[in-house]
Amino acid sequence: MRTDSGRYGFIGEIFSSFQGEGPYVGRRQIFIRLAGCELGCTYCDTSDFRKPADSFRVEHVHGSGEWSYIDNPASVDDVIGVIKLLHTPDVHSISITGGEPLIQPEFLEGLAVKIKDARLRLFLETSGCDHGAFMKVLEYTDIASIDVKLPSHKAVRPEKWEVLYENELACVQSASSAGIETVVKVVITGEDDRAPFERLCDDLQGSGDGVWMVIQPVTPPDMLIGNGDNDGCVSPSLLFSLSETAAGTFKEGHVMVLPQMHRMIGVL
Ligand code: SF4
C-alpha cells in the first residue's frame, strides 16, 4: 500500500451529476466522494462510503449506472485525470464530498490545490467536524457547504456533540470571514430539532451576508415523488416556523427550504 498521505487518499466514487441540495441546486458538478467518516447520522445516504474500500468506482458514461473500478489509495493526479475525462462544458464546479473530506486533510489539500491549478471552482461539502483541517483548504475553496448536525441526528454520542457543534460553527465563521460563499445546511427530522435550530440561528447572528441557510427536510427512505404518501415527511408547519426563525438571522433571500432534489430526477 502506498503511504504518502499528502498525495494519496481513499476515494469512494467519482461521477458527474447535478447538485441536488441548496442554492446551487441543478448546477452540473463532478463529484469526488472521499471515503471514510467517523460520524453516524441517522439519515446518512452514503453509508457504503463511511469505511474506505480497496477500490473506488467511476461512472464514465454519465447517468449510466455502469462503473469501472480503480485501486485505492488513489493519487491526486489520478483524481485530476478522472476529472478531466468527465468534464463537460456545463460543469459549474468540482464538489468534494463524503464520507467526510476533512478526515483526510493532506490529501484534501493536495486535491484542492490541483483543482485550483486547473482553474476549476471548488465546492466543499463537509460536516465541519474539524476546524483545523477545514482551515487547510479554505484558501482554495469557492463555496463551502457545512452540514450542521443537531443532537437528534445522532452523528456523535451526546457528550461529544458540543465539540462537534463548536467546530461546525467555527467553520461557518471562518468561511464567511474569508469572503467565501457559505451554505449552512441543516437536515430537519422533526419537532425535536426546533430548539437546537433556534440556538443555531442565535449562534450565527452576525455571521455575514454571504451565508445561506438551507433547511432540508429529511428524505424518507422510500419517498417517491407523486406517490401521494407523505408518511415520514416533516410537517409543513414546522418548516414554516423554522424558516421564519432563520429570517431573523440571515440576509433577506438567503433562507431556503429545499428537499434533496436529485432524488426527484433519479440521479446520484
Ligand atoms: S457526516 Fe455524512 S457521511 Fe458521515 S454519517 Fe453523516 S451523513 Fe453519513
Side-chain angles (χ1 to χ4, degrees):
M1 178 182 291
R2 296 170 290 196
T3 56
D4 182 347
S5 62
R7 300 183 60 197
Y8 293 91
F10 287 86
I11 307 284
E13 59 182 358
I14 305 178
F15 58 94
S16 174
S17 189
F18 304 105
Q19 175 57 243
E21 301 177 351
Y24 285 86
V25 70
R27 302 311 198 279
R28 186 80 177 263
Q29 293 183 321
I30 296 172
F31 291 82
I32 313 295
R33 189 181 306 290
L34 301 196
C37 179
E38 293 164 358
L39 305 186
C41 310
T42 53
Y43 56 78
C44 183
D45 59 359
T46 54
S47 53
D48 289 350
F49 303 102
R50 276 160 46 188
K51 287 199 189 324
D54 292 341
S55 62
F56 68 95
R57 62 183 194 173
V58 178
E59 189 184 44
H60 282 104
V61 178
H62 317 305
S64 67
E66 292 172 9
W67 301 89
S68 55
Y69 290 81
I70 300 175
D71 286 347
N72 266 325
S75 72
V76 167
D77 288 340
D78 290 340
V79 177
I80 297 298
V82 174
I83 290 173
K84 286 180 178 166
L85 277 175
L86 298 187
H87 196 271
T88 50
D90 55 338
V91 166
H92 170 272
S93 46
I94 308 302
S95 170
I96 299 186
T97 186
E100 173 46 66
L102 296 182
I103 68 170
Q104 301 186 74
E106 290 83 12
F107 181 58
L108 175 60
E109 185 181 10
L111 271 180
V113 169
K114 287 289 181 91
I115 287 169
K116 295 316 291 178
D117 284 351
R119 299 184 181 279
L120 297 166
R121 286 193 200 93
L122 173 55
F123 186 109
L124 177 63
E125 299 191 72
T126 174
S127 68
C129 62
D130 182 340
H131 180 241
F134 183 78
M135 292 305 287
K136 283 177 179 278
V137 290
L138 191 57
E139 68 179 289
Y140 311 107
T141 301
D142 296 287
I143 303 148
S145 178
I146 297 157
D147 187 358
V148 173
K149 310 299 182 186
L150 304 183
S152 74
H153 301 167
K154 298 185 168 56
V156 288
R157 292 201 300 274
E159 66 273 20
K160 299 206 164 174
W161 180 78
E162 286 285 346
V163 172
L164 174 63
Y165 182 67
E166 291 303 325
N167 273 274
E168 293 166 339
L169 288 182
C171 290
V172 174
Q173 299 288 7
S174 294
S176 176
S177 298
I180 291 167
E181 191 154 6
T182 308
V183 181
V184 179
K185 187 185 89 182
V186 186
V187 174
I188 298 299
T189 61
E191 191 59 41
D192 287 350
D193 294 336
R194 184 188 294 273
F197 184 86
E198 289 171 353
R199 175 181 168 187
L200 174 63
C201 290
D202 281 347
D203 289 339
L204 290 179
Q205 286 287 354
S207 54
D209 283 352
V211 182
W212 292 78
M213 166 55 76
V214 178
I215 299 164
Q216 182 173 296
V218 70
T219 309
D222 55 353
M223 191 179 104
L224 294 173
I225 190 166
N227 71 356
D229 178 3
N230 284 335
D231 285 353
C233 292
V234 174
S235 78
S237 63
L238 177 60
L239 298 174
F240 284 125
S241 174
L242 299 183
S243 177
E244 290 161 20
T245 297
T249 294
F250 301 95
K251 184 181 167 187
E252 185 181 348
H254 276 213
V255 176
M256 311 175 78
V257 173
L258 199 61
Q260 287 186 303
M261 297 302 289
H262 53 295
R263 297 205 178 202
M264 309 291 174
I265 56 171
V267 297
L268 291 165

